[in-house]
Amino acid sequence: GDSVTQMEGPVTLSEEAFLTINCTYTATGYPSLFWYVQYPGEGLQLLLKATKADDKGSNKGFEATYRKETTSFHLEKGSVQVSDSAVYFCGLSSNTGKLIFGQGTTLQVKP
Amino acid sequence: GAVVSQHPSRVICKSGTSVKIECRSLDFQATTMFWYRQFPKQSLMLMATSNEGSKATYEQGVEKDKFLINHASLTLSTLTVTSAHPEDSSFYICSARDLRTGAYEQYFGPGTRLTVT
């Protein structure tokens, strides 16, 4: 079945450091790919998305490119801030309409 | 746009009682809503999918008689945890999707923290 694998956390960075959170997927067909962010005690917010191969999703300085050849959708940001501290979930929308999530990666940014 | 609300945000109940959680799409019509459960420091586990006007589809291992889902209108779905027990304590999150737009993303509510004593 469809699945999503994320790099394990927690990831601890200093402010202004470069961020990469790896995400790979297994799916039949051509899923849409998403990154969601969850701040403590809150629900999930859509961070960015890509619906087809080679699409690049971007928002708030974060980027991810849909790579079909490597089945990846890695999240990157050039300069993280303390306010970026949260849990990040990679997900895909399967052909059943369900969202399949990775296990989540906790990011902690220190001043 | 695409705001989803949940009520209540936190609820504490005694073992054996039932609790109802509401999920509303505020500015769009949600043809499909999803209910998730999240344990501390873990990912979201899909419990069920509900389509407006029809019965919910439950994921394997989820007791449909314990977790009653009603999607009575295009803007409201409810999850009722019946005869709650301490092991039902968790963070419950709903999401909504408007299939008519053809969009694939789901919009999530802020979650409801249930504590059963």
Side-chain angles (χ1 to χ4, degrees):
Chain A
D2 296 350
S3 66
V4 176
T5 303
Q6 289 179 237
M7 65 185 287
E8 286 195 27
V11 174
T12 302
L13 296 173
S14 297
E15 209 166 20
E16 299 184 3
F18 184 85
L19 168 71
T20 299
I21 300 179
N22 290 339
C23 171
T24 57
Y25 68 91
T26 303
T28 54
Y30 303 95
S32 293
L33 302 175
F34 305 89
W35 276 100
Y36 283 87
V37 58
Q38 185 179 32
Y39 298 100
E42 299 184 11
L44 273 66
Q45 299 175 26
L46 178 65
L47 182 60
L48 53 84
K49 66 177 181 181
T51 58
K52 61 183 187 298
D54 299 326
D55 267 3
K56 177 186 282 189
S58 62
N59 185 27
K60 300 180 181 179
F62 291 90
E63 293 183 340
T65 301
Y66 190 144
R67 301 283 187 203
K68 189 170 182 295
E69 63 277 12
T70 55
T71 62
S72 65
F73 193 54
H74 305 320
L75 182 68
E76 296 181 336
K77 186 174 185 182
S79 176
V80 293
Q81 305 300 313
V82 172
S83 58
D84 294 327
S85 299
V87 181
Y88 292 81
F89 290 94
C90 183
L92 68 82
S93 181
S94 69
N95 55 9
T96 63
K98 299 177 185 178
L99 263 182
I100 309 295
F101 288 103
Q103 65 269 43
T105 302
T106 299
L107 170 65
Q108 185 176 22
V109 181
K110 296 186 174 180
Chain B
V3 178
V4 176
S5 69
Q6 277 183 246
H7 178 80
S9 57
R10 291 179 178 271
V11 58
I12 301 172
C13 70
K14 292 187 177 180
S15 189
T17 62
S18 295
V19 174
K20 180 184 285 188
I21 302 170
E22 293 186 348
C23 177
R24 293 181 185 274
S25 57
L26 299 186
D27 51 3
F28 68 102
Q29 293 185 324
T31 49
T32 302
M33 287 183 167
F34 303 85
W35 285 96
Y36 297 84
R37 184 173 179 177
Q38 186 179 33
F39 292 101
K41 299 186 186 296
Q42 294 188 26
S43 190
L44 281 71
M45 180 192 78
L46 179 64
M47 299 174 66
T49 302
S50 72
N51 294 299
E52 185 266 339
S54 62
K55 289 185 178 180
T57 303
Y58 291 82
E59 295 299 301
Q60 193 171 10
V62 177
E63 299 176 61
K64 61 181 181 181
D65 293 331
K66 180 167 187 62
F67 298 100
L68 300 179
I69 291 171
N70 186 354
H71 192 163
S73 77
L74 284 171
T75 59
L76 173 64
S77 176
T78 59
L79 167 67
T80 301
V81 183
T82 62
S83 186
H85 292 286
E87 57 266 30
D88 298 325
S89 298
S90 191
F91 194 50
Y92 292 88
I93 304 176
C94 73
S95 70
R97 179 179 163 188
D98 185 357
L99 287 174
R100 294 171 301 175
T101 66
Y104 290 92
E105 60 261 40
Q106 296 179 19
Y107 300 96
F108 285 80
T112 296
R113 173 77 57 193
L114 169 64
T115 304
V116 184
T117 61

